Every structure is written in structure tokens, then in C-alpha cells.
């Protein structure tokens, strides 16, 4: 249960993961979303009026140190091509995350040949930008072009194909901030 937890969603877009957070008993008023795109913040505010949303650069978070129990970063690092910017953002995540807080991380582990606006995030990249965090990382998400083509066989083939490691395209990580 996420009840009573203060949550920050970095790169919140239109509030895409908010329904999932609410299903896990998060309280809408305890969820804050940031994005650098004003139009997406507007969409998120319309969809989730009880949450707080800010147009903000994640390398300069305007929140106090140790403000959040949980920070989510979904497909954000893959949109950042410069290592320094990735590191600056990671440092800000660590600053605003409470001791023993959790970072939930989800991102591409392969380049997308159809989308040159994203770049893969490898395990070594994750370890480099979050060196002090305890990490539990799993590979998930069956290769989307393949999954879309399964059609009526999805129910049967998806579980079988998703066991093949190289067909899993994303990292899902739960990282904990060590207490001081």
C-alpha cells in the first residue's frame, strides 16, 4: 500500500502512471508530478486535480531535501543523451528522496531504431548514476513490436516469449536510498 506516502513522479507527462499509483492506495493529494512540457502538465492537472503539478527541470528540483518517500522515473533517462545531465538529475532524486526512500525506475535497455529521440540505458549506466543506492533490477516488457503481432495468441505466447531474456526490452528497478 502506498497510503500515506509522498510520491514524486519525474517526467509525469499527462499523469500516465497515476492510475496505477491510486490502485496501490496512494492518496491523490500526496502525488506530485513534474515535467518540462507545459502542455503535458496542463493535461495532468485536468486529469488529476487533487495532485500538484509543476513545469520543472529535474536537474534543479524546487523541493526540500528528504521530501519524498517514493520517486518514480519512467522512461526519462532514455530521453537524456548527456551523461552530466543524467547525473545531475540523479543527484537531485537522491537529494529529495527520504532516507530509506524508494526510487522506482523503468526505462529502455535497447535503442529504438524507430525513435532517435531516445537512447538505451544499460545496467552499467544505472550503476554509474545511482552508485550509492541498493538496487533490485529486473528485465521486463516483451519486445513491443513482437508483442503487438501476437494477436489472438497473446494469452498463450506472451508468457512463454517473455521468459527469453533478450526479448525483454526494459529495466524495472526498485532502488532504496541508504539511511545515514
Amino acid at each position: 500500500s502506498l497510503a500515506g506516502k509522498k510520491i514524486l513522479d519525474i517526467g509525469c507527462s499527462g499523469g500516465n502512471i497515476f492510475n496505477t499509483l491510486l490502485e496501490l492506495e496512494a492518496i491523490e493529494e500526496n502525488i506530485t508530478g513534474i515535467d518540462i512540457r507545459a502542455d503535458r502538465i496542463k493535461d495532468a492537472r485536468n486529469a488529476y486535480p487533487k495532485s500538484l503539478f509543476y513545469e520543472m527541470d529535474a536537474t534543479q528540483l524546487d523541493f526540500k531535501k528528504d521530501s519524498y518517500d517514493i520517486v518514480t522515473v519512467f522512461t526519462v533517462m532514455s530521453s537524456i543523451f548527456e551523461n552530466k545531465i543524467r547525473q545531475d538529475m540523479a543527484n537531485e532524486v537522491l537529494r529529495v528522496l527520504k532516507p530509506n526512500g524508494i526510487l522506482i525506475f523503468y526505462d529502455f535497455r535497447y535503442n529504438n531504431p524507430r525513435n532517435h529521440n531516445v537512447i538505451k540505458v544499460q545496467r552499467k549506466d544505472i550503476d554509474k548514476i545511482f552508485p550509492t543506492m541498493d538496487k533490485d533490477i529486473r528485465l521486463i516488457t516483451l519486445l513491443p513490436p513482437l508483442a503487438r503481432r501476437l494477436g489472438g495468441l497473446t494469452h498463450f505466447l506472451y508468457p512463454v516469449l517473455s521468459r527469453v531474456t533478450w526479448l525483454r526490452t526494459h529495466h524495472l528497478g526498485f532502488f532504496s536510498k541508504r539511511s545515514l
Side-chain angles (χ1 to χ4, degrees):
S1 171
L2 300 179
K5 303 291 185 192
K6 287 194 65 179
I7 303 167
L8 173 62
D9 182 18
I10 294 178
C12 68
S13 191
N16 299 349
I17 68 164
F18 278 47
N19 274 343
T20 301
L21 296 173
L22 294 171
E23 287 172 9
L24 295 171
E25 300 178 7
I27 299 167
E28 188 174 335
E29 293 89 335
N30 288 348
I31 308 172
T32 300
I34 69 157
D35 204 293
I36 58 172
R37 300 165 297 174
D39 60 322
R40 301 308 290 149
I41 292 295
K42 182 181 176 189
D43 293 342
R45 283 184 181 135
N46 288 335
Y48 301 96
K50 295 178 184 174
S51 293
L52 296 173
F53 294 96
Y54 302 98
E55 183 181 347
M56 189 181 300
D57 180 339
T59 65
Q60 299 175 2
L61 296 174
D62 192 19
F63 304 116
K64 293 179 183 176
K65 181 180 178 185
D66 302 334
S67 298
Y68 292 93
D69 300 293
I70 298 169
V71 176
T72 62
V73 180
F74 285 25
T75 63
V76 173
M77 291 295 183
S78 58
S79 299
I80 302 171
F81 284 56
E82 294 180 43
N83 289 332
K84 182 183 182 326
I85 295 173
R86 280 184 177 182
Q87 191 61 63
D88 289 348
M89 188 186 124
N91 293 343
E92 281 294 276
V93 166
L94 284 169
R95 185 183 66 76
V96 302
L97 192 61
K98 292 178 181 179
N100 298 313
I102 301 293
L103 166 65
I104 305 173
F105 180 94
Y106 176 78
D107 222 321
F108 303 106
R109 70 183 197 115
Y110 294 125
N111 285 326
N112 182 339
R114 293 189 179 139
N115 184 351
H116 298 288
N117 295 315
V118 296
I119 188 170
K120 66 184 172 187
V121 180
Q122 296 179 313
R123 173 63 193 251
K124 67 180 182 176
D125 300 322
I126 296 168
D127 289 337
K128 183 176 181 181
I129 58 178
F130 295 108
T132 63
M133 298 189 84
D134 295 323
K135 298 173 203 73
D136 177 8
I137 300 176
R138 299 163 191 190
L139 300 178
I140 66 167
T141 310
L142 180 63
L143 183 70
L146 173 60
R148 285 190 288 273
R149 292 195 171 143
L150 295 178
L153 298 174
T154 300
H155 181 71
F156 173 72
L157 289 178
Y158 194 101
V160 173
L161 292 172
S162 65
R163 290 186 193 131
V164 179
T165 303
W166 63 269
L167 289 177
R168 288 181 260 158
T169 57
H170 291 68
H171 297 282
L172 174 64
F174 298 88
F175 310 165
S176 61
K177 180 179 177 180
R178 297 178 188 147
S179 61
L180 301 173

